[in-house]
Amino acid sequence: MITEKVENPPWTPPNSPWAAGLEPIAPGPYNPLGTRWIGTTAPLVGIHGTPSDWSIGSAASHGCIRMHISDVEDLFPHVTVGMPLEIRP
């Protein structure tokens, strides 16, 4: 289920060994979440854009679904908080 929608989200390092010592990143061009965050009921997993297009389709995150920034910006107005979500492999 969609639990939240955030435009220009800040990035907060997760409580995970790979993120130890990392600092939060404010919204902007270096933010790993891009310009949109769509939160889900899966803990710390969401759908977001990424400025690192090379990472799309690879296991390069904490479990999130990464999209091209323009694609997630197109998707964003079509989803609502409370909307059911099914993720299939």
Side-chain angles (χ1 to χ4, degrees), residues 11-20 22 44 62:
W11 180 76
T12 303
N15 184 13
S16 179
W18 68 264
L22 296 178
L44 301 175
H62 203 66

Side-chain angles (χ1 to χ4, degrees), residues 45-76:
V45 174
I47 302 165
H48 62 83
T50 179
S52 302
D53 287 337
W54 59 267
S55 72
I56 295 171
S58 67
S61 76
H62 203 66
C64 291
I65 298 167
R66 294 175 317 284
M67 300 177 69
H68 297 285
I69 289 174
S70 61
D71 291 338
V72 77
E73 287 176 348
D74 287 344
L75 173 66
F76 196 81

